[in-house]
Amino acid sequence: MLTKEVILELYRRCATELPEDVARKLSEAFDREKNDNAKDILKTIIENIELAKDERKPICQDTGTPFFYVRHPCGMSQEKMRNVIEEATKEATEKIPLRPNAVDPISGENIGNKPVIHFEESDRLRIDLLMKGGGSENVSCTYSLPNNELKANRDIDGVKRCVLDAVFRAQGKGCPPYIIGVAIGGSIEEVSHLSKKQLLRNLYDSNDDEVLNKMETEILADINKLGIGPMGLGGETTAIG
């Protein structure tokens, strides 16, 4: 049974603690970074992460849009789970607190936070929460291949060109160092959904597909050659995964 207290604790942990793999990657980037300015920024980010966890306060003032991925056994009511999540969201916004990021697009009225919830049947209940900041969301984009401007064909090399172009255009607007979620598909709806799900992967895993694993490794290396760096102020750490 899903309870409001479970979702509240999930919100608290997600807002105030970074997953271990992300924290480790940032520490490794600090050790590897040669640019003094970038190193100082990474040091500040790491110190901020530790303070947020110790003081149980949000890591960033932009606590993001909540995206829930709910896998549940057959027979559990999706409507009841949605109600629990929405009630917990209202409470979390006040208690943690979360920044009220949702605005009615017609009236302009602030409506607190509005979770996006994806349901999928499974043999057991599992809930993943991704809180995606507005900066990174605003620089997210889709491409159609072939793309003549980028000289990108409908192939792996074309995908790589699009990803590099997206990061180059974003510069520091999404608060790097970035974690890049990429999906290749047939429709905007499909790739938008799947690219966010990629952000739930552990940063130390390897893609089971050899071609895609090679692509991911090469893209990450090429992104970090762009020189955008932490917060867009230069350096070798533009992305950590």
Side-chain angles (χ1 to χ4, degrees), residues 1-212:
M1 180 180 176
L2 182 61
T3 66
K4 184 172 66 175
E5 288 69 30
V6 168
I7 301 301
L8 279 169
E9 176 61 14
L10 181 58
Y11 264 123
R12 187 196 64 76
R13 291 190 61 186
C14 198
T16 64
E17 301 178 25
L18 272 190
E20 182 183 352
D21 60 318
V22 180
R24 279 176 58 198
K25 282 286 186 182
L26 287 169
S27 294
E28 290 170 7
F30 172 80
D31 293 338
R32 193 169 53 242
E33 182 62 62
K34 296 182 176 64
N35 182 293
D36 289 340
N37 190 42
K39 210 168 181 71
D40 285 343
I41 294 170
L42 287 170
K43 181 182 178 182
T44 302
I45 290 172
I46 292 166
E47 289 174 350
N48 179 69
I49 291 165
E50 293 169 353
L51 278 171
K53 184 176 181 179
D54 290 343
E55 298 185 11
R56 295 166 67 93
K57 293 180 179 178
I59 294 169
C60 178
Q61 53 87 19
D62 178 7
T63 49
T65 299
F67 291 87
F68 282 87
Y69 298 88
V70 182
R71 283 179 277 181
H72 63 91
C74 178
M76 290 189 71
S77 168
Q78 292 184 3
E79 182 179 3
K80 287 182 180 179
M81 286 188 285
R82 182 181 297 279
N83 289 338
V84 168
I85 290 171
E86 289 182 346
E87 283 300 313
T89 301
K90 292 177 185 177
E91 197 165 321
T93 301
E94 296 176 1
K95 287 187 174 180
I96 292 177
L98 307 178
R99 189 175 76 178
N101 280 330
V103 175
D104 185 293
I106 306 302
S107 68
E109 178 187 358
N110 188 289
I111 55 174
N113 281 295
K114 182 69 175 174
V116 179
I117 309 170
H118 299 281
F119 291 103
E120 180 182 339
E121 284 195 8
S122 179
D123 57 350
R124 64 189 181 97
L125 179 63
R126 173 176 174 137
I127 301 175
D128 290 298
L129 170 59
L130 170 67
M131 297 173 74
K132 194 163 189 284
S136 63
E137 182 70 4
N138 287 339
V139 296
S140 299
C141 51
T142 57
Y143 289 80
S144 296
L145 294 174
N147 185 305
N148 293 330
E149 182 184 353
L150 299 177
K151 298 180 180 177
N153 296 318
R154 197 178 286 113
D155 53 24
I156 292 295
D157 180 68
V159 172
K160 288 167 64 177
R161 287 172 182 262
C162 291
V163 176
L164 287 171
D165 182 68
V167 177
F168 182 77
R169 289 173 183 267
Q171 292 291 311
K173 297 173 188 174
C175 300
Y178 294 125
I179 298 170
I180 312 295
V182 180
I184 308 167
S187 69
I188 291 175
E189 180 182 11
E190 181 182 26
V191 295
S192 176
H193 171 59
L194 292 178
S195 63
K196 280 190 176 66
K197 283 190 74 174
Q198 288 294 297
L199 301 175
L200 299 175
R201 284 173 54 186
N202 188 292
L203 292 179
Y204 289 92
D205 78 1
S206 298
N207 200 306
D208 294 333
D209 186 295
E210 290 184 11
V211 174
L212 294 180

